[in-house]
Amino acid sequence: MTGAAVALLLAAAVALLAHTPGANRLDARGAFRTPPAGKVGRKAGANPPFQRVFQRLPVRTRNIELHELPLFVHQLTGLLRAGRSPLHLWEDIERVYQEAAKSGSRFAAHAVPVIQTARRSAELGLSVPDALRTGATAAGRPDPHRLSAGKLWIDLAACFDVADSSGAPLAHVLDRYAVQLDSELDAEAARETALAGPKATVALLTWLPAFGLGLGYLLGVDPLGTLLGSRLGVFVLVLGILLMIIARVWSQRLLAAAEDPR
């Protein structure tokens, strides 16, 4: 009975350690630094009518394909360089993303309400950057250090503000921003590739003790019986489990530090 209890305890510890909460930071999502949105333009809450439009927005956008974010900015830049006015810019991009949303694009489904509100703001002569910031608020609080759909709207609003206050061509500002997004995604991909080996090693070492016990039984040895046959064996077993837990936690913290772009 005691051997079975220890075996169950060991199996529970391995299962617990194998679970890695929050490992997907892609929200390993690529990271870049920009000024906080509160320091650029007016607060998103300054336009309460916008809030109703975004009630349909999905709050969680973590399943969005990140390559679609710089593509969206490149499309805006292309339309501006083709001579589209700010009003027709949003009309054209709205038609494109309505079709993309019908084909199952998660980012398009998220972006269409924001684009529609930006178009209506342009039609009424209201602030397009404020409409974009409202879209970011509806998407949830974005991490200022990680690429996400919510952060995209904040950065786009900042680009519009910069172009408006400085007189710089909006197409040029957006083009530079899109290039920055591309470089950040490339850096994120390189970081994920570099961490693939350490992550696999952590998973292997987590299951190695259980594999060793099973192999011992296959060879006709009684590992648990040997460990539980004396006080020294019990001490070694408990110490091994504790060291396994410490190693797992330590490894996960090292991986988390390597994934964090800050």
Side-chain angles (χ1 to χ4, degrees):
M1 293 296 294
T2 304
V6 173
L8 290 175
L9 177 62
L10 182 60
V14 171
L16 178 63
L17 293 174
H19 177 65
T20 309
N24 183 11
R25 297 187 170 230
L26 248 205
D27 248 43
R29 278 181 283 215
F32 53 96
R33 300 176 184 271
T34 57
K39 296 183 180 180
V40 183
R42 292 175 290 177
K43 295 182 179 178
N47 293 279
F50 291 152
Q51 299 291 345
R52 294 190 297 271
V53 179
F54 294 102
Q55 290 178 353
R56 298 170 298 169
L57 264 175
V59 174
R60 301 175 70 183
T61 59
R62 64 183 180 185
N63 292 325
I64 286 174
E65 294 291 339
L66 293 183
H67 72 272
E68 294 184 89
L69 306 185
L71 175 62
F72 177 77
V73 183
H74 281 300
Q75 289 171 329
L76 291 178
T77 304
L79 289 171
L80 287 170
R81 288 183 170 170
R84 307 303 287 172
S85 65
L87 174 58
H88 293 97
L89 167 71
W90 295 110
E91 291 177 347
D92 292 343
I93 204 73
E94 180 183 352
R95 284 195 294 269
V96 172
Y97 276 83
Q98 281 178 337
E99 292 298 322
K102 293 177 182 178
S103 65
S105 169
R106 293 179 181 272
F107 174 69
H110 165 81
V112 165
V114 185
I115 296 171
Q116 290 174 339
T117 304
R119 174 181 57 78
R120 291 167 187 165
S121 299
E123 290 175 345
L124 298 174
L126 301 176
S127 172
V128 172
D130 283 344
L132 295 175
R133 292 190 185 95
T134 305
T137 303
R141 184 177 180 181
D143 187 337
H145 303 286
R146 290 192 172 277
L147 180 59
S148 64
K151 189 173 185 302
L152 172 71
W153 305 123
I154 293 177
D155 291 341
L156 280 178
C159 290
F160 275 80
D161 283 335
V162 168
D164 183 60
S165 60
S166 67
L170 178 59
H172 179 69
V173 176
L174 291 178
D175 185 57
R176 296 293 297 272
Y177 174 53
V179 171
Q180 179 185 351
L181 291 184
D182 286 330
S183 64
E184 291 297 334
L185 285 179
D186 289 341
E188 178 61 30
R191 183 163 49 246
E192 285 295 307
T193 301
L195 290 176
K199 287 181 179 179
T201 301
V202 170
L204 176 63
L205 293 178
T206 297
W207 290 101
L208 195 58
F211 175 77
L213 290 177
L215 184 61
Y217 280 110
L218 289 177
L219 294 176
V221 182
D222 183 8
L224 288 179
T226 302
L227 291 172
L228 297 174
S230 63
R231 292 183 179 180
L232 179 59
V234 173
F235 172 77
V236 170
L237 176 62
V238 173
L239 180 62
I241 294 176
L242 290 178
L243 289 177
M244 184 174 64
I245 294 174
I246 293 173
R248 178 68 177 186
V249 173
W250 186 26
S251 299
Q252 288 302 319
R253 289 195 175 186
L254 290 176
L255 289 174
E259 287 180 338
D260 194 340
R262 285 171 281 189

